[in-house]
Amino acid sequence: MTVQLRVYVPPHPLIKHWLAVARDAATPSVLFRSAITELGRWLTYEAAREWLPTLETTVQTPLETCPATFINPEVPVAVVPILRAGLGLLEGAQTLLPLASIYHLGLVRDEETLEARCYLNKLPEKFDPQTRVLITDPMLATGGSIMRAMAELTQRGIDPELTRIVSVVAAPPALQKLSAAYPGLIVYTATIDEIVNDRGFIVPGLGDAGDRIFGT
């Protein structure tokens, strides 16, 4: 069976609601941050399904023993926010993955070439090969930043099939590049917009997520 990129757009009403809030140009920065946080929370909830490692055991209830399932604490989980905008999704993701290690990766896009340049890399030299990695990046537009992030992670031993990407808006150019290079990857996004303009912005999108999150 051929492995190919899977992209999920969860049909959850809360995801749709907070996406609408984030898209609205009239939404003030403080409410925009709340919308991105909530999207990070609900999309991470969806991404964690059948992804977090579990172990089977038994517990003693007040009446008798019964089977129980716990998150396996021995399998490492990491969250990699793509700075700046990925920090907005991180807060929501952390509420569901409180024991995850956080590794910051700062990427900035050259506005002329649209290529991503790394200015901060807090990734370890090597990951445990079983590490589950959640990448938070609100906008998957041209694919420059997410492809750079995936290259940095795979060079350090991360398995793309154990990796999940959480975004708010994704577009075909980024998804096509990810599919060609990392077919086992899974993306969770609130929506897919078809157009990326000549400035590298997704249309209709939601504007510059970093600027709107931080009010700059």
Side-chain angles (χ1 to χ4, degrees):
M1 183 176 69
T2 302
V3 177
Q4 62 181 13
L5 178 79
R6 284 174 284 170
V7 183
Y8 291 104
V9 181
H12 198 295
L14 286 171
I15 292 176
K16 293 179 180 180
H17 170 82
W18 289 113
L19 173 64
V21 173
R23 282 206 195 263
D24 191 343
T27 297
S29 180
V30 63
L31 182 54
F32 184 86
R33 283 196 300 273
S34 294
I36 297 300
T37 296
E38 290 301 320
L39 287 165
R41 186 192 327 276
W42 293 107
L43 287 165
T44 298
Y45 172 84
E46 294 289 345
R49 193 190 307 269
E50 299 178 352
W51 175 68
L52 283 176
T54 59
L55 56 85
E56 303 300 322
T57 184
T58 59
V59 296
Q60 177 69 49
T61 78
L63 300 177
E64 63 177 58
T65 60
C66 72
T69 302
F70 288 100
I71 303 299
N72 188 342
E74 296 184 0
V75 178
V77 177
V79 181
V80 180
I82 307 302
L83 307 188
R84 290 182 303 166
L87 292 173
L89 293 167
L90 173 63
E91 183 178 348
Q94 274 191 294
T95 62
L96 298 180
L97 305 172
L99 300 181
S101 300
I102 311 299
Y103 299 102
H104 297 87
L105 186 62
L107 300 174
V108 63
R109 185 173 68 180
D110 185 303
E111 295 303 326
E112 292 186 3
T113 66
L114 303 182
E115 294 296 320
R117 177 177 59 83
C118 182
Y119 64 88
L120 178 70
N121 188 335
K122 290 296 184 179
L123 300 177
E125 286 298 316
K126 202 71 176 176
F127 283 93
D128 182 304
Q130 292 302 308
T131 303
R132 270 62 172 174
V133 174
L134 183 83
I135 303 172
T136 61
D137 189 2
M139 311 298 286
L140 302 181
T142 63
S145 294
I146 195 63
M147 290 294 290
R148 177 66 183 271
M150 286 299 302
E152 295 288 346
L153 287 164
T154 54
Q155 287 171 11
R156 290 165 170 78
I158 287 301
D159 182 351
E161 295 193 19
L162 299 180
T163 302
R164 301 290 182 268
I165 296 173
V166 163
S167 74
V168 177
V169 184
L175 297 177
Q176 289 164 4
K177 290 177 183 177
L178 288 170
S179 182
Y182 308 104
L185 196 60
I186 300 180
V187 176
Y188 288 82
T189 183
T191 191
I192 299 173
D193 286 349
E194 293 298 322
I195 299 172
V196 175
N197 67 19
D198 56 6
R199 295 176 56 209
F201 280 91
I202 300 175
V203 180
L206 45 80
D208 188 309
D211 284 350
R212 296 189 69 191
I213 288 169
F214 296 106
T216 55

